[in-house]
């Protein structure tokens, strides 16, 4: 999964509702109806199946897959932030001149899901990066493979992660029965590991890959908005 995948759309929707939840007052139910929220959810989820495709376009717009390169040097900074995490490394050219390069990675959401964290590497660690160069010629690269010198192991690569055991807990809801998308007090969230990457109407078959990318883009209308 690359760039702004389906998880990013889900995170956007969760953050939006969480923000609403954080200022939730009785007036909310009078001015923001359940129908309005359903419409907003449908609009956001309509792009769910298309998000991974758009993400690849964003990466290819910034980086040139025909311009591969190999970089090696010590890490000077770790920027663990969305939409994409970055590592900064000092790279010496043939004349010994040092240049600082920004190495772009997946989103922190995807990296955490695969077991990587901001402490997987440290400032001062030497890494070797196989990547593709920025189209504008700047000192930026998209990482295709990264090896940590002190261990000889690859880091920040996509790897399958077993989903957590099902808790079978009911969907958390507010007093008015609307689903509560924000985390409950003392919890980290109910929606962090969805059992499916697409949401479709009952009785409708829509084919999509593990990232939520629709096999047939014409099925987008069958994914959202939802019917009740």
């Amino acid at each position: 999964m690359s760039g702004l995948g389906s998880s990013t759309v889900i995170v956007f929707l969760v953050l939006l509702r969480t923000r609403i939840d954080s200022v939730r007052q009785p007036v909310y139910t009078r001015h923001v109806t359940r129908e309005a929220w359903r419409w907003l959810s449908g609009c956001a989820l309509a792009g769910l199946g298309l998000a991974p495709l758009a993400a690849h376009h964003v990466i290819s717009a910034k980086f040139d897959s025909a311009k591969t390169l190999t970089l090696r040097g010590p890490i000077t900074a770790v920027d663990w932030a969305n939409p994409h995490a970055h590592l900064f490394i000092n790279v010496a050219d043939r004349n010994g001149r040092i240049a600082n390069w920004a190495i772009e990675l997946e989103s922190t959401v995807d990296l955490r899901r695969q077991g990587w964290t901001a402490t997987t590497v440290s400032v001062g660690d030497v890494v070797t990066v196989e990547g593709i160069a920025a189209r504008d010629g700047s000192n930026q690269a998209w990482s295709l493979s990264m090896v940590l010198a002190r261990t000889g192991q690859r880091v920040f690569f996509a790897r399958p992660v077993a989903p957590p055991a099902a808790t079978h807990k009911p969907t958390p809801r507010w007093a008015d029965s609307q689903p509560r998308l924000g985390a409950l007090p003392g919890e980290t969230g109910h929606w962090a590991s969805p059992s499916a990457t697409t949401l479709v109407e009952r009785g409708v078959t829509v084919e999509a890959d593990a990232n939520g990318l629709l096999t047939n883009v014409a099925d987008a209308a069958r994914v959202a908005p939802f019917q009740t």
Side-chain angles (χ1 to χ4, degrees), residues 10-25 27-28 32 37 40 174 179-183 191:
I10 295 174
V11 169
F12 163 77
L13 186 58
V14 171
L15 290 177
L16 177 62
R17 181 57 185 266
T18 302
R19 175 58 179 166
I20 294 174
D21 290 346
S22 68
V23 296
R24 188 180 177 90
Q25 299 293 336
V27 69
Y28 166 73
V32 183
W37 170 244
L40 179 60
W174 290 100
R180 177 172 179 161
L181 299 186
W191 313 97

Side-chain angles (χ1 to χ4, degrees), residues 4-228:
L4 303 177
S6 58
S7 61
T8 305
V9 178
I10 295 174
V11 169
F12 163 77
L13 186 58
V14 171
L15 290 177
L16 177 62
R17 181 57 185 266
T18 302
R19 175 58 179 166
I20 294 174
D21 290 346
S22 68
V23 296
R24 188 180 177 90
Q25 299 293 336
V27 69
Y28 166 73
T29 56
R30 295 200 299 269
H31 293 285
V32 183
T33 65
R34 184 172 302 180
E35 289 71 22
W37 170 244
R38 184 180 296 116
W39 176 85
L40 179 60
S41 300
C43 289
L45 288 167
L48 190 61
L50 302 179
L53 180 60
H56 287 284
H57 289 173
V58 170
I59 293 170
S60 63
K62 183 176 180 181
F63 300 99
D64 189 345
S65 60
K67 296 180 179 179
T68 59
L69 76 175
T70 301
L71 302 170
R72 179 182 173 86
I75 296 172
T76 61
V78 177
D79 182 19
W80 194 259
N82 283 318
H84 288 173
H86 291 77
L87 298 184
F88 294 85
I89 65 174
N90 277 341
V91 180
D93 64 15
R94 294 179 179 178
N95 298 317
R97 291 174 298 192
I98 303 297
N100 195 245
W101 281 73
I103 310 301
E104 191 163 335
L105 306 170
E106 298 283 0
S107 73
T108 62
V109 174
D110 291 329
L111 292 170
R112 276 196 298 265
R113 181 178 293 117
Q114 294 159 3
W116 308 113
T117 70
T119 59
T120 296
V121 295
S122 303
V123 171
D125 283 340
V126 174
V127 294
T128 299
V129 178
E130 302 284 344
I132 52 177
R135 291 184 180 275
D136 63 4
S138 60
N139 292 346
Q140 299 183 75
W142 176 265
S143 176
L144 300 176
S145 174
M146 183 180 298
V147 176
L148 184 60
R150 61 181 167 82
T151 64
Q153 301 296 313
R154 290 181 63 204
V155 292
F156 299 129
F157 63 90
R159 56 185 179 183
V161 177
T167 62
H168 302 293
K169 291 182 179 180
T171 299
R173 296 180 181 276
W174 290 100
D176 59 5
S177 298
Q178 294 189 61
R180 177 172 179 161
L181 299 186
L184 293 171
E187 296 188 7
T188 57
H190 184 77
W191 313 97
S193 182
S195 57
T197 54
T198 56
L199 298 176
V200 299
E201 299 177 26
R202 290 182 179 177
V204 174
T205 300
V206 174
E207 295 185 3
D209 66 13
N211 295 325
L213 180 61
L214 296 177
T215 301
N216 183 358
V217 71
D219 283 334
R222 308 175 74 185
V223 175
F226 301 117
Q227 304 297 318
T228 56

